[in-house]
Amino acid sequence: MNQLFAAFGVNWSLIIAQAVNFGIVLIALRYFLYKPMMTMLNKRQELVAKSVSDAAKAEELFAGADAEAASRVHAADTEAEKIVAVARESANAEKARLLKEAEERAVLVAKDAEARAAEALERARRESERDIARLAVLAAERVLHDQS
Amino acid sequence: MHAGINVVLKAEQLGSVFGFPITNSLIMAWAVMALLIGFAYFFGRSLSMVPGKLQAGIEWAFEGAIAYMADVLGSEALAKRFFPLVASIFIFVALINELEFFPGVGSLGLVHASDFLPVLRAPTTDLNFTLALAMISFFAIEITGIASLGFFKYAGKYVNLKSPIGFAVGLIELMSNLGRLISFSFRLFGNIFAGEVMVLVAGYFLPYVLPAPLMGFEMFIGLIQALVFAMLTLFFIKLAIMDPHGEHA
């Protein structure tokens, strides 16, 4: 056994030294690399979890806002429809009033025209009668003149 | 002219400090440690919430490894507890194996009494390093088992006096458990050392042409061996925390 150990150069002090070397590497890596890395990974995991929860909340808020907007649009539509209906009704009433007024005015104008026409006819008839009378007088005068 | 293939099974001693031998594998272990710790220090300080490509890649590997470990161990808390050990084994061994064929490793050295002594040698080709890692893994597994199940329940896995068959099975379990020390250390040492020798022999037969693809292959093998060591540690931890009836502790 001793020969075997001697052939491979096995030496207890070297084994202990190499074990200590590994121990130092283990402690240094743990302190300088693994710990900061784990802290970083945990931090990032927390950040990701928070981001996911924030995104879920934002989505919830967004969905609420969407519903609110839809309800407001619906209310605005209803209001607009009411306003349009009222405007249409009032326009129809105005139209009817204007038509009635125009009809009344037309009747008045027609009556006035008839009255004027009748008056003109009367005047013409009276003037004709006067002319006829005058002509008759003139004719009578001529006849009398001729006879005399 | 080639002076022949010089294969040295043990790490070469370059000197000593107060009687403590300084080998080339120890120097390379320190160099890799400096690289790793330097990288970890600067990388750990430059982490940001919006990652770059390197950070994103490392984070991906971290999360994947922890998820896999949680899957194997059946608990994320256990996965996070054992992640530093398993990941450090993988990273340390993988980096050593990847740097094994870098220029300078094995080729830069000192000439001492007409012998060439390389300054750097991959620690995974030194049984002292692989044995040290195997012991760390072994003790981590055993301590985890005792902490999870309690000393007597854990010992009951290996010393079963209820029946002769149970006793024999317990003994076999104990032997296979102790055998892990050998299998862990010699598997890693054998694979990496054999790869190095193979590249050396290939360079002797067909210089410049054959070693390059073999080095690429050996770097791949180095990665696989690092993974095997780390995964076996993970699986044996899983076995250690299971009670003798196969239920999770």
Side-chain angles (χ1 to χ4, degrees), chain B residues 27-244:
Chain B
I27 289 178
M28 177 135 173
W30 289 334
V32 174
M33 280 169 69
L35 266 176
L36 252 183
I37 294 170
F39 171 78
Y41 177 77
F42 289 110
F43 182 76
R45 286 180 159 238
S46 68
L47 290 174
S48 69
M49 283 298 272
V50 182
K53 280 182 186 170
L54 179 66
Q55 188 184 328
I58 292 176
E59 279 180 10
W60 171 79
F62 258 60
E63 285 181 319
I66 289 175
Y68 179 73
M69 285 181 70
D71 212 29
V72 171
L73 297 173
S75 144
E76 195 166 334
L78 278 176
K80 283 185 176 167
R81 191 189 303 163
F82 291 109
F83 175 75
L85 175 73
V86 175
S88 299
I89 288 174
F90 174 74
I91 293 170
F92 197 31
V93 174
L95 190 63
I96 287 168
N97 290 346
E98 294 312 296
L99 292 176
E100 186 192 359
F101 294 111
F102 263 59
V105 179
S107 56
L108 286 179
L110 315 164
V111 177
H112 180 71
S114 78
D115 283 338
F116 175 71
L117 298 177
V119 174
L120 299 171
R121 174 188 172 122
T124 42
T125 61
D126 177 6
L127 197 60
N128 290 308
F129 176 80
T130 57
L131 256 176
L133 266 193
M135 283 177 180
I136 287 169
S137 182
F138 176 82
F139 285 118
I141 292 162
E142 302 308 315
I143 290 167
T144 303
I146 291 168
S148 297
L149 301 178
F151 178 78
F152 291 107
K153 200 171 179 185
Y154 188 70
K157 279 186 173 186
Y158 306 111
V159 183
N160 188 344
L161 301 174
K162 286 177 187 164
S163 68
I165 291 175
F167 183 73
V169 169
L171 269 184
I172 292 168
E173 280 280 319
L174 185 66
M175 291 309 289
S176 74
N177 210 9
L178 291 172
R180 280 177 202 161
L181 269 175
I182 308 293
S183 67
F184 260 127
S185 54
F186 275 90
R187 183 186 302 110
L188 182 59
F189 169 78
N191 272 288
I192 306 305
F193 186 75
E196 208 171 65
V197 173
M198 187 170 70
V199 171
L200 204 68
V201 172
Y204 187 76
F205 284 117
L206 200 57
Y208 308 112
V209 180
L210 197 52
L214 282 179
M215 280 178 187
F217 177 68
E218 283 308 321
M219 284 172 85
F220 171 69
I221 294 290
L223 213 60
I224 296 296
Q225 284 306 316
L227 195 66
V228 165
F229 205 108
M231 297 286 268
L232 283 177
T233 304
L234 174 66
F235 294 147
F236 288 138
I237 286 172
K238 166 70 176 173
L239 287 179
I241 60 174
M242 285 172 75
D243 78 4

